[in-house]
Amino acid sequence: MGFSVGTRPDCIDAEKVALLESYTDRFDVDLEMGMESIYDETLNQINRGCSHGEFVEAVKLLENSKLDLCVHTIFGFPWETKEMMHGYIHEINRFPQIKLLNFIIYILFEGSIMGVKYKKQPFKTLYFRRIYRFACELIPLFVLIL
């Protein structure tokens, strides 16, 4: 039995980590944080509202934590290259406290900020099969310490 709490990296602090850790003697507790991209230019473009540096600081708070950290990231931003997405691997592998990964494939939704931008001026997007295949190539490169 356990529970998972999802949050933004700019919403976690030592007090919240301590509260969640207080439940680990009775439950498995996962903390899921979004690392949509490691590139601040991308985070600005999607109107994320926090920087990659804030993500790094939040992960450092969990260095010796009893919480199982899950990170979700988005693959397939149209302006990010394969090489840029490979950078995600190196970044995630820097942090042994990351125990779980959640890959999200970039999808445009009508009415969203990026959907409106696309409607005004279409840009190249990656097909699902192509980005899915690429994500499958990356999975073995992650070094998750269990």
Side-chain angles (χ1 to χ4, degrees):
M1 179 117 123
F3 62 94
S4 181
V5 176
T7 189
R8 294 169 47 107
D10 56 335
C11 295
I12 196 77
D13 57 34
E15 183 181 358
K16 292 176 185 97
V17 170
L19 174 64
L20 292 171
E21 285 179 331
S22 72
Y23 295 105
T24 59
D25 61 335
R26 295 168 286 171
F27 305 103
D28 289 328
V29 183
D30 297 342
L31 177 64
E32 181 171 348
M33 274 195 308
M35 183 195 84
E36 276 67 11
S37 175
I38 63 172
Y39 303 103
D40 285 335
E41 306 83 43
T42 293
L43 298 174
N44 290 332
Q45 197 162 342
I46 65 170
N47 199 28
R48 172 68 171 140
C50 65
S51 69
H52 183 64
E54 288 171 286
F55 170 83
V56 170
E57 289 306 310
V59 172
K60 286 180 181 177
L61 274 176
L62 300 161
E63 251 173 355
N64 298 308
S65 177
K66 300 174 192 171
L67 303 175
D68 290 326
L69 177 59
C70 176
V71 169
H72 69 257
T73 189
I74 299 174
F75 278 99
F77 288 113
W79 52 87
E80 288 189 2
T81 65
K82 269 184 141 180
E83 292 76 24
M84 289 173 77
M85 288 184 268
H86 269 274
Y88 289 40
I89 297 165
H90 303 295
E91 187 64 4
I92 291 170
N93 284 341
R94 281 189 332 128
F95 301 105
Q97 58 271 47
I98 298 174
K99 303 292 185 200
L100 305 159
L101 292 174
N102 182 355
F103 290 113
I104 300 169
I105 305 299
Y106 178 76
I107 300 172
L108 276 173
F109 289 100
E110 191 171 337
S112 68
I113 290 171
M114 293 308 297
V116 170
K117 285 182 181 182
Y118 181 83
K119 206 166 200 169
K120 287 180 182 175
Q121 186 174 3
F123 47 83
K124 183 181 177 184
T125 59
L126 297 173
Y127 290 103
F128 178 77
R129 280 188 202 182
R130 196 165 157 207
I131 195 64
Y132 177 79
R133 237 181 270 128
F134 178 65
C136 289
E137 287 172 27
L138 293 180
I139 290 171
L141 304 176
F142 288 98
V143 181
L144 297 178
I145 301 165
L146 302 176

